[in-house]
Amino acid sequence: MGVKKSAYRQPVTPEGLKAIENGTLTWLDDEMYNNLNTGVLEQYLEEKNLEEAFEVSHWDTRKVLLGIAIGAVFSGVTAYIGLKLGLAISAAWYIAYVLGMALKWSPSEVNIATSATTGATHASTGFIFTFPAIFLLAADKQYWLSDGPLIVLGAGETIRLAFVGIVASMFAGFLGVMYFIIFRRVWLVEDPLPLPGFEATLKMLDIASDVSTGAVEHARESLKTIGVWTSITMLALFIIEYPLIYMKGKTIAVTDYLAGLASADGFGVASFYSKAKIHQPGEVVDGVAKGPAHYDPEQWYNPFMYTYVGVALTPSMFAIGWFMKTRVAFLVNLGTIVGWFFLVPLAVAFNVPVYEGQLGASVPLQDLPGALYASCMASAVSQSEISACGVETGAVQMYAFSKAVRFIAIGAIVGGGIFGLLKMWKTFANIFVDIGKAFKGDSGKEYMEGKGWYEWPLAHIPIFMLLTFGSMIIIFMLGDFPIMASIVFSLILLMTTFLLGAIAVRVMGETGIEPVSGTSFIVLLMLFGVFLNFNEALGLTTQEAVLLGLVGTTVFGSAISMSGTVIGDYKNSLYIGNRPYHISKGNIMGVVPGAVIGAGVAIFLANELAQGRIDLIAPQANAFATFSVIFAEGQGDLMLLLLGFMLGVFVEWATGMGTSFGLGMYLDVPHTLPMLIGGVARDRWEDKQLKPRIEAIKEKEGTVVAEKQRALILLGTFMVAAGLLTGEAFFGTESSILSFVDSLWGEDFGSSITWHFLRLGSFVMLNVMIGYLIYALFKRAGVIGGSDSQDAELVEA
């Protein structure tokens, strides 16, 4: 019988096999690295861990709570980044790792604490992608129908839905962790999934175990780097975005004010720069930028009427591009390029009819601004309402993007996601065989007599499924949903979380990317198919059916996100001797605070977005809102959706990145170009700067030292990127809070010089307080001004 081999699985090396036979191979040694994902190594380490993990893997509640605190805080940061960019990328993982290294924690302690961090960070994923669609449907007029909004949120309605979503997401998060316990032995031990990119995490744990590499000092410097770049980012955004200049009852950012000074009545710097974007020439009136060029049939030859090009000064997009590198960043940008430089110009040039809910009809694009102006003027009564109607002309390319290309993008997201899952059919065709293997495992190894739990018992899973089933029914009934609809949803959740969650985790294990959006769209279609077609039998109105579908998809997204995050923690634990029981426990403990804080921030931001007080792209939420209107009212261009679906399928088939392509098409050029710049910058830096430096170290000190130095240097750049992400998220969240406070005051006081200075003083004091708290924490932890004796005391405490 030949050695089992696949595209990602290689046979064990002769030296590794010899070390395994002799029992000399151990955690983090060279032969372990040479035989990752061979299956033989993983089975050997599993047996070794069963005997020795109890001496290595120790639970420290205080350290776990610190990991949870980091994850909970950054769950809010992740919510902001996810709504702004459509990518739930978090820097909490890096920060928790380097903090553990700075405090001289063992690899086991770092791994357990960061499992709680990732649990807290990802527990609210559904609130980032799906839940905001409810607020968009209720308040954003682009989703309104001719007779008003599809959803009307009455007094206390938001609190009711938030309660249902948050509590249900907690139980779903627990269930997501529990479900993956079934597959841990099958997919990480017997036939290990590669989980591309996990080696970087493993290398950091290796570095944490070797203080002679200077890891402690480097970790301290990395944490300082985060603080410095967070401060730099917030200061830069303060200048670029904060309305600091007060003039005649209006406020404006410093950079916009300077651009206006350098502009004449119709042209100047303001025509190239406005609202934190460097862009194509635009109209300027009285030194103020008035946005993209309005369509004028007399100037049909003007290319700027057909598209919109620019670069947003967004540090977080550059940071995300740095994490992605060129290939992935380019594939996301490819969707944007196809959308803005091909589809948008075509739609404008051919005057494509698009459906406008406010008018209840399809209108040719070139005529749409005039039709909206006429409708507004017909209903306007007061002078302020007449002024709000604007002008008869408009930036038709922007309507083409929002009314036509985004439909195609939604189709591409769904098509790429579904085909990506179907493409993996061979890998999960035998999924029930894997389930059978898991349940036939030796359950006696879960608990070791006289030592404790090695792995969370499989027997708890059916018990928890029943508990979750009953709890979901009660939670949704308390949320005033009918009992039959609650029962049906609970059944669908249990099945989809298990089956689609298993498929999504399998895809993540092979590609490194979990298709949360793709699988969530499938669940939304299933829920809408049931609740909208059988709404009378289930006792639901159309609004309740839509709400239940969106809240249910929110809960599902949080559940499978937890399944995806726990696989990485389990995989690292196998290679360093940790007990899976501790990893499960850490993730489960992180769910509650992460769900509450992350969901709370996401709900607040979603409401501000829908009210128009902040500007966030929220691509998935907008896509879910669009789908809700289409399925509830049968409106929208289904041909555009079908075109996008086929395009997503093709790109997924050709590149394996169909969902990312569709996501890129949903974003605008100014927000994706910084991502591409960041990806190219990292590749060039690695090629021109890092590679020669590592080669020199390799020649002088050997491969092992060189690889550790590579990891440390890369970690330093990741800390800069983390600072960019954190700074923009903190600044954006604080600005959102102040915008909300603005709306609480009367119009006169809100625009007064008194309120302007009160607002500015509050903003400065808020950041001084946050900065002091972070400084005090770092000082106490020994990151700033620490000593070896102080570190030892902290570790022992």
Side-chain angles (χ1 to χ4, degrees), residues 275-297:
K275 296 180 179 178
K277 293 188 187 77
I278 301 170
H279 51 71
Q280 67 187 41
E283 188 178 359
V284 175
V285 178
D286 296 330
V288 179
K290 293 298 181 182
H294 287 201
Y295 185 82
D296 181 0

Side-chain angles (χ1 to χ4, degrees), residues 481-499:
F481 289 105
I483 182 171
M484 281 303 299
S486 301
I487 292 172
V488 170
F489 166 73
S490 298
L491 287 171
I492 293 175
L493 177 70
L494 290 178
M495 291 186 295
T496 55
T497 302
F498 184 73
L499 295 175

Side-chain angles (χ1 to χ4, degrees), residues 375-656:
S375 174
C376 181
M377 290 295 290
S379 60
V381 178
S382 64
Q383 186 60 44
S384 61
E385 290 178 341
I386 294 174
S387 301
C389 291
V391 294
E392 291 186 70
T393 60
V396 176
Q397 66 272 41
M398 308 308 285
Y399 287 108
F401 174 61
S402 61
K403 299 292 183 182
V405 174
R406 277 191 163 172
F407 272 84
I408 299 175
I410 293 168
I413 292 171
V414 177
I418 292 177
F419 187 72
L421 298 180
L422 294 177
K423 196 170 64 172
M424 303 290 294
W425 72 271
K426 287 185 179 180
T427 65
F428 56 79
N430 295 322
I431 193 170
F432 291 104
V433 176
D434 289 345
I435 295 170
K437 287 181 180 178
F439 277 108
K440 287 178 183 178
D442 184 2
S443 60
K445 292 182 179 179
E446 294 170 352
Y447 183 81
M448 307 295 286
E449 196 66 38
K451 294 182 178 180
W453 290 102
Y454 174 74
E455 187 171 12
W456 204 285
L458 287 174
H460 286 190
I461 296 175
I463 296 173
F464 202 85
M465 289 174 67
L466 291 174
L467 177 63
T468 302
F469 179 72
S471 300
M472 288 292 171
I473 295 173
I474 294 172
I475 292 166
F476 277 83
M477 286 179 61
L478 289 174
D480 291 334
F481 289 105
I483 182 171
M484 281 303 299
S486 301
I487 292 172
V488 170
F489 166 73
S490 298
L491 287 171
I492 293 175
L493 177 70
L494 290 178
M495 291 186 295
T496 55
T497 302
F498 184 73
L499 295 175
L500 290 180
I503 293 170
V505 172
R506 181 78 193 221
V507 172
M508 181 181 180
E510 296 203 353
T511 66
I513 300 171
E514 186 179 18
V516 176
S517 297
T519 50
S520 293
F521 271 109
I522 295 173
V523 171
L524 183 68
L525 294 178
M526 290 175 61
L527 294 176
F528 277 172
V530 174
F531 296 144
L532 289 172
N533 288 313
F534 301 97
N535 59 326
E536 292 184 5
L538 295 172
L540 294 168
T541 64
T542 299
Q543 170 169 309
E544 288 175 333
V546 172
L547 284 174
L548 188 53
L550 290 171
V551 174
T553 306
T554 297
V555 175
F556 168 82
S558 296
I560 69 161
S561 182
M562 288 303 301
S563 291
T565 188
V566 78
I567 183 177
D569 296 323
Y570 275 144
K571 193 167 182 71
N572 283 297
S573 72
L574 177 66
Y575 294 119
I576 63 171
N578 263 345
R579 285 189 268 168
Y581 175 78
H582 283 160
I583 303 302
S584 302
K585 188 176 176 182
N587 272 276
I588 289 171
M589 283 187 63
V591 167
V592 174
V596 173
I597 297 177
V601 174
I603 291 170
F604 168 73
L605 293 174
N607 185 57
E608 295 303 289
L609 168 67
Q611 297 294 336
R613 290 191 283 264
I614 57 174
D615 183 20
L616 300 173
I617 300 172
Q620 288 92 344
N622 280 281
F624 281 123
T626 301
F627 255 90
S628 300
V629 172
I630 291 172
F631 281 91
E633 297 294 319
Q635 301 293 353
D637 196 327
L638 296 179
M639 289 304 297
L640 291 179
L641 282 174
L642 179 61
L643 174 63
F645 186 93
M646 298 307 296
L647 183 59
V649 167
F650 172 77
V651 175
E652 178 65 31
W653 170 77
T655 68

Side-chain angles (χ1 to χ4, degrees), residues 282-346:
E283 188 178 359
V284 175
V285 178
D286 296 330
V288 179
K290 293 298 181 182
H294 287 201
Y295 185 82
D296 181 0
E298 299 297 324
Q299 298 182 23
W300 58 267
Y301 50 82
N302 182 0
F304 296 127
M305 292 190 305
Y306 295 87
T307 189
Y308 181 63
V309 186
V311 177
L313 302 182
T314 167
S316 55
M317 269 307 218
F318 179 88
I320 289 172
W322 188 271
F323 285 121
M324 285 181 168
K325 303 185 71 172
T326 302
R327 180 182 178 273
V328 178
F330 174 74
L331 286 172
V332 174
N333 267 265
L334 186 61
T336 313
I337 291 168
V338 169
W340 281 96
F341 300 143
F342 182 69
L343 296 176
V344 167
L346 276 180

